[in-house]
Amino acid sequence: MEISGAEIVVRCLQEENVDYVFGYPGGAVLFIYDELFRQNKVKHVLVRHEQAAVHAADGYARASGRVGVALVTSGPGVTNAVTGIATAYMDSIPLVVVTGQVPTHAIGQDAFQEVDTVGITRPCVKHNFLVKDVHDIAGTMKKAFFVAASGRPGPIVVDIPKDVTAAKAAFEYPATISMRSYNPVTKGHGGQIKKALSLLMHAERPMVYTGGGVVLGGATKELTQLVRKLGFPCTSTLMGLGGYPASDGQFLGMLGMHGTYEANMAMQHCDVLLAIGARFDDRVIGNPRHFFDEKRRIIHIDIDPSSISKRVRVDVPIVGDVRDVLQELSKQLGASTAKPDASALKTWWAQIELWRARDSLKYDRSSPLIKPQYVIQKLHEVTKGEAYITSDVGQHQMWAAQFYKFEKPRRWINSGGLGTMGFGMPAAMGVQLAHPKETVVCVTGESSIMMCIQELSTCKQYRLPLKIISLNNRYMGMVRQWQEFFHGNRYAESYMDALPDFVRLAESFGHVGMRIEKPADVEGALAEAFKRKNELVFMDFVTDQAENVYPMIPGGKGLSEMILV
């Protein structure tokens, strides 16, 4: 029996066991929406802006480990979604974004609501497809989900013209897919792993540097076992937080531009570096030339061969799934008679403890103003470190990363690579739907939250009991900090001069609003908010306008050139 292309799309989603599609309707996708309406297996979440649809699908994917799905219409629907697609691409998040397109005969004719979706999205997707034949929909959707989730994950765009969704064909969903041009390597080379183990056993100042690949690859258990067995210090990028338990004594905290003193100094002065699922980006190692002022041997494990030796030359490249490689590395370590140099390691740890004693995250706890760091610390206490935390981008993001101690993976959801303001709340919506019984918190700032504030309406419609923590300093905080440090205190357009009353705004959407202005009220307000388990609570914390994020490495400087408090 032949069915419409629109029904084929929905049947494909059902075959992939998709729970939620985040989207916004429009003319080019109305046949698909009609078929979604006719069934109840795949649930649709109506956002208020297409950017939020992709961010919500992104948050769902990060928290659940599954492929997130978004559905938008042609033209402005697609262009609104591009920011979300680029966000997912930079952080390697598996998404399938189905986009409507004008009818095939009108493509290239400047038709109403037409854009070149394939051309626009090509630089910020793992792959994209334009489906011109109804018979190709099922196979293309199978490829989309396979490519999105395998190898280094990423977003896939499937662009479908309206007439193709109206045309009919028999439905047959492929059980498996084979693509001659796409065969990601998963098993690491045994010889390379042996070389890596030899380097690690001869190290005097070893360091383990982990990134988001550990979380995405589900390698937390393997990483933790290996690091503890070796006795080496471990650090993490912003995206890798939760990949190794933050409370463990071997964890030095986050490294990079706003990383801890001990993590950055150990990274700079190590003699053997084991990099796992990380990419040595500019916010992590600063100036590459400064990084190589110190001689070290580098082992780099990554699923994506193009990430290896991209920014820094490595000595032992290992291409493969991080979990498989770490399992093999641990196996070889267990079978080896060689052991790490205990004497050298003791000396190295003594140096690290001296760096750690600098207490690079200290702040003024006696201030009569609310310090944002204090809010995050109390948030961690009240939630017992068990909440799912999303963030927007800026100072609040860095304070959340520094002061909320993540013990588990997939609990820290933020835009790392693209740095997308407006990401936090829609991502939190996706996280809450992925884990409806868990506590989900969006840490944001008064500038970022305004980017997608309309999603308070979505939260009301779907009864999503998010807790929004706004660290409100009446500035674009990170912009103001850079202007203070590097632009002679010229605060060009960084002051937010017409903010709404967030309490009344939240209440106008049917939620609970709180305004907290005194440090003594912080803990009590948090406790009260989290008692309201079935309500969205918007907490507007009026914080110190002059507070900066420390440590900080200025752009173009090296890891040991930190500005400290």
Side-chain angles (χ1 to χ4, degrees), residues 274-504:
L274 173 59
I276 308 169
R279 55 191 180 91
F280 294 90
D281 71 73
D282 57 299
R283 290 291 172 113
V284 168
I285 64 166
N287 188 327
R289 286 186 294 179
H290 179 279
F291 185 60
F292 279 101
D293 283 347
E294 301 282 343
K295 291 184 179 179
R296 68 180 65 75
R297 306 294 295 280
I298 299 176
I299 304 156
H300 191 180
I301 304 168
D302 205 287
I303 190 71
D304 181 9
S306 71
S307 290
I308 296 179
S309 291
K310 186 174 184 177
R311 294 199 75 238
V312 301
R313 184 187 61 80
V314 305
D315 300 280
V316 182
I318 304 174
V319 177
D321 178 88
V322 290
R323 181 166 57 184
D324 288 344
V325 174
L326 290 179
Q327 286 174 346
E328 179 60 26
L329 185 56
S330 289
K331 181 180 177 182
Q332 290 194 20
L333 176 62
S336 174
T337 57
K339 302 295 178 187
D341 186 332
S343 176
L345 195 55
K346 183 178 179 180
T347 302
W348 179 227
W349 269 111
Q351 175 60 70
I352 289 171
E353 292 304 330
L354 289 175
W355 289 328
R356 186 179 261 165
R358 293 288 295 270
D359 191 13
S360 60
L361 299 183
K362 63 187 176 187
Y363 63 93
D364 180 10
R365 297 168 186 263
S366 62
S367 172
L369 302 174
I370 295 178
K371 293 292 185 177
Q373 302 96 318
Y374 178 72
V375 177
I376 302 300
Q377 284 186 311
K378 287 300 176 184
L379 173 65
H380 183 265
E381 290 178 19
V382 170
T383 61
K384 297 181 173 59
E386 292 291 329
Y388 286 81
I389 307 292
T390 74
S391 87
D392 276 297
V393 173
Q395 287 180 316
H396 60 272
Q397 176 190 26
M398 295 300 109
W399 284 316
Q402 290 175 337
F403 289 93
Y404 199 98
K405 306 304 181 183
F406 294 95
E407 298 291 307
K408 300 175 183 178
R410 299 191 181 276
R411 298 285 175 132
W412 170 233
I413 315 291
N414 78 116
S415 170
L418 196 65
T420 307
M421 294 172 69
F423 173 84
M425 183 163 53
M429 298 183 329
V431 175
Q432 190 73 79
L433 287 164
H435 300 288
K437 295 183 179 180
E438 298 291 340
T439 299
V440 181
V441 180
C442 171
V443 176
T444 186
E446 78 292 338
S447 302
S448 284
I449 195 66
M450 293 293 286
M451 293 279 187
C452 284
I453 195 74
Q454 73 283 341
E455 297 311 313
L456 286 171
S457 178
T458 306
C459 293
K460 183 62 177 178
Q461 179 174 346
Y462 296 95
R463 298 179 176 85
L464 303 179
L466 309 180
K467 303 300 180 280
I468 298 174
I469 308 294
S470 175
L471 302 179
N472 184 348
N473 60 11
R474 288 79 71 208
Y475 272 104
M476 296 179 200
M478 192 60 82
V479 172
R480 184 207 57 75
Q481 179 169 334
W482 278 65
Q483 289 171 334
E484 177 186 332
F485 286 6
F486 312 118
H487 298 276
N489 296 309
R490 293 181 295 277
Y491 301 127
E493 305 303 326
S494 59
Y495 178 63
M496 302 296 287
D497 201 22
L499 289 172
D501 181 330
F502 285 110
V503 172
R504 293 174 67 185

Side-chain angles (χ1 to χ4, degrees), residues 65-69 92-97 126-127 129 141-157 179 182 216:
R66 302 177 63 190
V67 177
V69 180
S92 303
I93 306 304
L95 299 183
V96 170
V97 182
K126 186 175 179 182
H127 194 66
F129 300 91
M141 292 291 285
K142 183 70 175 182
K143 289 178 183 177
F145 278 90
F146 171 66
V147 175
S150 59
R152 179 179 180 175
I156 309 297
V157 167
M179 301 174 68
Y182 178 72
L216 294 171

Side-chain angles (χ1 to χ4, degrees), residues 188-328:
H189 190 279
Q192 291 295 90
I193 296 173
K194 186 177 181 180
K195 287 181 184 178
L197 181 61
S198 177
L199 270 184
L200 293 170
M201 293 302 98
H202 289 90
E204 294 184 351
R205 301 184 308 280
M207 184 68 168
V208 180
Y209 153 52
T210 68
V214 170
V215 175
L216 294 171
T220 298
K221 178 182 175 182
E222 289 75 11
L223 171 68
T224 304
Q225 290 176 344
L226 178 66
V227 170
R228 288 175 175 167
K229 190 180 296 185
L230 291 169
F232 291 175
C234 178
T235 186
S236 168
T237 66
L238 178 73
M239 297 305 300
L241 293 174
Y244 189 87
S247 62
D248 192 287
Q250 289 174 241
F251 187 64
L252 305 189
M254 182 178 71
L255 84 163
M257 179 171 280
H258 296 292
T260 66
Y261 185 72
E262 56 267 28
N264 284 338
M265 293 298 283
M267 182 78 167
Q268 179 66 19
H269 295 288
C270 66
D271 67 341
V272 174
L273 178 64
L274 173 59
I276 308 169
R279 55 191 180 91
F280 294 90
D281 71 73
D282 57 299
R283 290 291 172 113
V284 168
I285 64 166
N287 188 327
R289 286 186 294 179
H290 179 279
F291 185 60
F292 279 101
D293 283 347
E294 301 282 343
K295 291 184 179 179
R296 68 180 65 75
R297 306 294 295 280
I298 299 176
I299 304 156
H300 191 180
I301 304 168
D302 205 287
I303 190 71
D304 181 9
S306 71
S307 290
I308 296 179
S309 291
K310 186 174 184 177
R311 294 199 75 238
V312 301
R313 184 187 61 80
V314 305
D315 300 280
V316 182
I318 304 174
V319 177
D321 178 88
V322 290
R323 181 166 57 184
D324 288 344
V325 174
L326 290 179
Q327 286 174 346
E328 179 60 26

Side-chain angles (χ1 to χ4, degrees), residues 494-527:
S494 59
Y495 178 63
M496 302 296 287
D497 201 22
L499 289 172
D501 181 330
F502 285 110
V503 172
R504 293 174 67 185
L505 181 63
E507 290 173 348
S508 75
F509 279 99
H511 304 302
V512 177
M514 295 182 180
R515 184 177 175 89
I516 304 93
E517 300 180 277
K518 298 177 182 178
D521 296 335
V522 168
E523 187 171 4
L526 286 167

